[in-house]
Amino acid sequence: GALVYQYPRRTICKSGTSMRMECQAVGFQATSVAWYRQSPQKTFELIALSTVNSAIKYEQNFTQEKFPISHPNLSFSSMTVLNAYLEDRGLYLCGALTGENTLYFGAGTRLSVL
Amino acid sequence: QQQVRQSSQSLTVWEGETAILNCSYENSAFDYFPWYQQFPGEGPALLIAIRSVSDKKEDGRFTIFFNKREKNLSLHIKDSQPGDSATYFCAASAGTNAYKVIFGKGTHLHVLP
């Protein structure tokens, strides 16, 4: 079945510093990867859609300057949270889209900011 | 306005009962409806999904009933087990924007032994 691995599972960073999270699809080709954030209140926000060989589409309120994404091949994507502050806390989810347009999520990277 | 609404924030059933989680949506363009199960500290795992051309989808103890005319759907969990205790998110997406999944706020299911 489709598996999506994310690492690290948890990370703590000081306010104003940056952290990078990674996502790997196993068992299928993730042509597109959607990055989401789940807030501490459990609501989901779409950050961006990354498609191999295409420009990354960022949603309103999210920018490349703040959340740069790399998607070099069909199995790997990474996203960095630059200058993290308290409002960036949450569970960052990588969702890999299969050929049947089904979105499979990884376990997430939980970001805490001190 | 909430595009995908889950009628209950929380639901408690006894072990062995059928848990019914309800969901409704606004956008007629939605044609794919996944349900995700999330345990504390984990990401949401795809549990079962239905496309709008069907009115029922069954997978083991989990069944989705879908009513396109009424724009609602429900997830039935037969023979509920304590291990089913989790938060269940009803979600929806439309056509080629399958990556833009709109989530409900979730229903926290407690299955009591």
Side-chain angles (χ1 to χ4, degrees), chain A residues 49-79:
Chain A
L49 174 73
S50 170
T51 302
V52 174
N53 297 326
S54 289
I56 297 168
K57 280 193 235 178
Y58 284 87
E59 292 295 294
Q60 201 171 12
N61 302 326
F62 296 97
T63 64
Q64 183 179 7
E65 290 69 35
K66 173 74 175 175
F67 300 96
I69 290 169
S70 169
H71 191 175
N73 58 55
L74 292 171
S75 65
F76 182 82
S77 178
S78 67
M79 183 174 75

Side-chain angles (χ1 to χ4, degrees), chain B:
Chain B
Q1 190 177 10
Q2 187 78 11
Q3 288 198 63
V4 176
R5 270 195 303 272
Q6 293 184 246
S7 55
S8 306
Q9 261 193 320
S10 182
L11 175 67
T12 301
V13 299
W14 292 101
E15 183 175 358
E17 290 184 335
T18 296
I20 300 175
L21 290 74
N22 294 308
C23 178
S24 61
Y25 62 97
E26 296 291 323
N27 190 344
S28 303
F30 289 150
D31 59 3
Y32 178 67
F33 301 87
W35 282 85
Y36 288 91
Q37 178 190 57
Q38 187 175 31
F39 294 105
E42 298 286 326
L46 180 65
L47 185 65
I48 186 172
I50 193 166
R51 297 199 184 269
S52 59
V53 293
S54 302
D55 55 17
K56 182 180 174 183
K57 176 79 176 287
E58 193 169 349
D59 185 357
R61 295 186 296 112
F62 303 94
T63 303
I64 299 174
F65 292 94
F66 179 71
N67 186 324
K68 189 171 182 176
R69 192 172 58 87
E70 300 290 330
K71 291 193 201 159
N72 60 45
L73 60 157
S74 59
L75 173 67
H76 291 225
I77 306 175
K78 273 191 300 196
D79 187 24
S80 296
Q81 303 295 309
D84 295 329
S85 298
T87 301
Y88 292 81
F89 291 94
C90 173
S93 64
T96 52
N97 284 338
Y99 68 95
K100 270 197 181 182
V101 177
I102 308 298
F103 289 86
K105 291 190 173 180
T107 296
H108 193 176
L109 175 67
H110 303 262
V111 181
L112 301 175

